[in-house]
Amino acid sequence: MMTVSPSVKVIIALCMRARFYLALVCLTATPALADGRWALILGVGEYESRAIPSLSNAVNDSRAIAASLNDMGFEVYYLENATKAKIEETVDQIGREHQGAELGLFYFAGHGLQVGGKNYALPSDLVPTGADFLQRNAISVNDLIKTLNDFDTQSLVVILDACRDSPFPNEEAIGVGLALFDAPDNTIVAYSTAPGAVAFDGAYGNSPYTAALVTALKSAETEFRDVLRLVRARVRLATGGAQTPWYVDNSKEAITLRPRFAEDAEALAQLVSDRDITLSTTAWLTVVDSADPRDFEQFASLFPEDTLAEVAQRQLTLVSAEGTPSFPLLDLRVRDADEDVPGGLLVQITACDILATGIGDPLALVEPVPHDLVNTRAAMRACVEAVRDDATNARLLGLLARVLNLDERFEESLHYYELAAARGNPTAYTGIATAYRLGMGVEPDNEKAFESVQEAALLGSAPARLLLGVYYREGWGRQQSFPEARRWMRLSLDAGYAPAYVAYGGTYRKGLGVPKSDETALEFYRTAATLGSSDAMNLIGRAYMAGKGVQRDTRTGIRWLARASEEGNPFAALELGKAFQKGNGVEKDLEKALSYFRLSAQRNFVGAHNYIGSILRTGTRNRQPNLPEAYANYIIARDGALLRDTRDSIKQLNDAEVRIASIIGEMSSQQIESGEQMAADWIEQYGLLDFNLVSE
């Protein structure tokens, strides 16, 4: 909760008492710019040399970070597609203007790579000629950090979203990704992915890392290490464990961030506290803590008849006193080499579509963005503008609702979901269902959730029809009925929806209202596998391993499991771990089993920690038993299962509790305390996200 000084509380009270006109006088607070905070933002997406491929999102990434840090009170030095000379000139300028600053931050998005354990950022004018072209023409990140530290900055943060594929694949001396090096004193070095690994550039808008970082920075007050931990958890989840952000912390100081105009934001938000939810109130609450005058200029332009437009003009003057931002707004055009057709698809696509489209949305016009990788700061602004221009568009209303939901503005989100649903958006109905089932902005109500899913299913949405089948299968909001569950699942699979084939096959594998038949289940799994479902591939592999529905053939089973695991399936990695643990179809190897169990956990299957714990408890040929670490893994599995309420999660929870009860009897009080601390540290570092919220 944001702390408000007594003087600001008096201002708010006066403003609310006299309402709008007195508000124009009241909102004249002095800008709360944090003393001595600077940020050097460098984004390089275009290179002069044709040998270096361009990066589609590096510049947008740097613009997004610049906007967020500007809001957070940093003096931003922004460089876009800069030459080495310009970068060095700006570093010298910071040294002259910010000796002894409280906090400095360097962010780089672009091509970054390592040679001999030393990291380099590639400026736009780098020419890859000669044996030592990187040493001569690139920016040494190691040397730059030393230079920035020489400015006597109290705390320094370095963020490198620069681990894309090397643009010089034939250079054997160039390593993959960036090299890990120990951060100097008072410094945090954050990497977008693990050392030596490659990060993704992203499809639209921003890279996965930067999108998650910008959203995590949207907070009334936060400690920067908490931001980095949240970003790590979200990127791991959204990429299925393929990308794990990393950071090295050698700073002893707390690094607390809060918006530059935090106290103004509290007062400005109060001006709409007694209003009904409208697009103008949503827009207002989106920009109240902004330090970018363009936000208030846009509000006044979009809502000139609203009484808040005059307040926006006054806030525009106040914020402008800090200076016009040096960074441009995001460039969110869809680029296509083919000629556009007047009134065609490209004309229909908005910035809101690009930033906010969800997975499985039947109204989608562009490639979707996973829920944890939405840049909510930019998406909120884009969707408000899009809805202002097309107020009855069901697709855009649904996208605005989605972003509000991701920003945890649940009451507003439900309002726009209801507007979108009334205009026939099936995804909006499932959004309403999630709100009522989980109590997001409303009291939990499974019956209302069921009714909303049913409406979406009747509109023909294949995902909603499958979801309705799940509601009947689990007994959420209606009496449990396996026959009715199968009816709706059948409609979904008739539309060619691969997950429906998997779910329908599961009813035969488990005998839910039908005679148990592994053979019938396998038929549905094979169809789903042809449609690309890695879950189906995993289940086929399991069937061959156990000889269920087919003659037992462990070699074929291992091939199916390996194929599913290569697709990133967490459960296939778990099954491979079990195979190596028992010597089923492969030579018994507990070290390999442990590696596969950890891969499954890395891909966000929290239940894999039960299996990790089982091996740590007994040890391996090369590893002594470790009861505290085993216990910690059981706790992680238990706490992850508590966040869900499906049949499988209940089994996972029971399994973890049995293991915990069993191992505690073998441990001393000191070992128990150590294990509990390990679990707490892991959860703080990586996070246990609520998988109930993953409705996509």
Side-chain angles (χ1 to χ4, degrees), residues 10 73 269 297 485 650:
V10 171
E297 185 177 26
I650 292 171

Side-chain angles (χ1 to χ4, degrees), residues 31 42 99 278 292 363 380 464 477 479 489 499:
L42 173 60
Q99 281 288 333
T278 64
D292 190 334
L363 303 182
M380 196 78 72
Q479 182 177 345
M489 290 178 183

Side-chain angles (χ1 to χ4, degrees), residues 144-271:
L144 178 60
I145 291 174
K146 183 179 183 303
T147 299
L148 297 177
N149 265 305
D150 287 344
F151 298 159
D152 295 326
T153 304
Q154 295 175 34
S155 295
L156 177 66
V157 175
V158 177
I159 303 175
L160 304 172
D161 191 1
C163 310
R164 279 81 166 181
D165 285 316
S166 169
F168 314 115
N170 297 324
E171 297 287 342
E172 295 182 0
I174 296 175
V176 176
L178 295 181
L180 178 66
F181 63 96
D182 192 26
D185 290 344
N186 304 316
T187 302
I188 297 175
V189 180
Y191 301 85
S192 59
T193 193
V198 174
F200 301 112
D201 190 38
Y204 286 113
N206 296 117
S207 74
Y209 182 79
T210 292
L213 178 58
V214 169
T215 298
L217 283 168
K218 281 182 82 278
S219 175
E221 184 170 311
T222 187
E223 215 285 336
F224 194 75
R225 294 167 182 83
D226 292 334
V227 169
L228 294 177
R229 283 190 282 265
L230 180 58
V231 169
R232 172 184 288 176
R234 286 177 168 171
V235 173
R236 284 181 70 242
L237 178 63
T239 63
Q243 181 173 335
T244 300
W246 205 263
Y247 67 92
V248 179
D249 183 0
N250 205 9
S251 175
K252 299 177 178 61
E253 299 296 325
I255 302 176
T256 303
L257 303 178
R258 67 194 303 261
R260 179 182 303 193
F261 295 103
E263 293 186 347
D264 279 5
E266 189 100 6
L268 292 169
Q270 287 291 334
L271 296 179

Side-chain angles (χ1 to χ4, degrees), residues 408-435:
E408 299 184 2
R409 293 163 61 175
F410 297 129
E411 290 184 15
E412 291 173 277
S413 173
L414 182 58
H415 171 78
Y416 291 103
Y417 271 139
E418 289 173 342
L419 291 178
R423 289 163 174 79
N425 185 332
T427 303
Y429 278 110
T430 56
I432 294 169
T434 301

Side-chain angles (χ1 to χ4, degrees), residues 33-115:
L33 176 62
D35 292 333
R37 294 191 170 196
W38 58 264
L40 172 58
I41 311 297
L42 173 60
V44 184
E46 299 294 333
Y47 292 85
E48 295 177 11
S49 171
R50 293 183 179 181
I52 306 176
S54 61
L55 293 169
S56 59
N57 287 331
V59 167
N60 268 343
D61 289 340
S62 61
R63 294 179 182 183
I65 291 294
S68 292
L69 294 179
N70 181 61
D71 284 347
M72 287 293 178
F74 286 78
E75 182 173 349
V76 173
Y77 295 80
Y78 178 77
L79 297 175
E80 187 171 296
N81 294 326
T83 63
K84 182 180 182 182
K86 181 61 177 177
I87 296 167
E88 292 173 341
E89 175 188 328
T90 306
V91 170
D92 290 342
Q93 180 183 355
I94 293 171
R96 293 192 303 272
E97 297 175 354
H98 290 282
Q99 281 288 333
E102 170 200 349
L103 175 62
L105 186 147
F106 170 62
Y107 170 90
F108 172 63
H111 280 300
L113 39 82
Q114 59 167 300
V115 174

